[in-house]
Amino acid sequence: MDVPYSRTMERLMVVHPATGFGGDEGGRFEDEHLTVDFGSGAWLDSQRMTLTRKEQELLTMMAAHAGDIIPRDVLLMRVWGYSREIRTRTLDVHIR
């Protein structure tokens, strides 16, 4: 059974301290319900999630910086590669 991506994003929106990982690559984030292995995938309540490449990149970025506020332009630059300020709803669609 696939876990809804939106449910996972809701879990990450909850502010909690970041523990158990190094950086955006090669690390791991764990809390009571969510595990994100930055190199291989994510599990919510022990169920492996099926994610697109962009969903995995966004989830990894947010998990690596759990508890921090990540500016929209930083997410757009790091996950989608946008190099300048542009108007797009891409991030809104992925967070929903």
Side-chain angles (χ1 to χ4, degrees):
M1 177 174 158
D2 287 339
V3 177
Y5 182 70
S6 60
R7 183 171 164 216
T8 304
M9 296 314 289
E10 289 170 9
R11 280 288 307 143
L12 274 178
M13 299 288 232
V14 176
V15 177
H16 45 69
T19 58
F21 62 87
D24 286 13
E25 298 173 13
R28 186 178 184 94
F29 169 88
E30 292 184 65
D31 77 0
E32 186 178 344
H33 299 281
L34 178 65
T35 301
V36 181
D37 185 315
F38 299 169
S40 66
W43 295 261
L44 186 62
D45 294 326
S46 300
Q47 296 180 17
R48 180 154 179 111
M49 300 176 63
T50 302
L51 303 171
T52 67
R53 185 172 56 97
K54 288 298 176 194
E55 288 171 342
Q56 179 67 38
E57 289 174 16
L58 181 58
L59 182 60
T60 295
M61 176 80 170
M62 293 180 74
H65 300 282
D68 296 336
I69 296 171
I70 307 171
R72 177 186 191 83
D73 59 332
V74 171
L75 287 171
L76 289 170
M77 183 177 62
R78 297 273 310 269
V79 176
W80 283 273
Y82 294 147
S83 59
R84 57 188 165 103
E85 189 175 324
I86 63 169
R87 298 182 85 138
T88 180
R89 304 312 294 173
T90 297
L91 182 57
D92 301 318
V93 170
H94 278 79
I95 295 292
R96 244 188 277 175

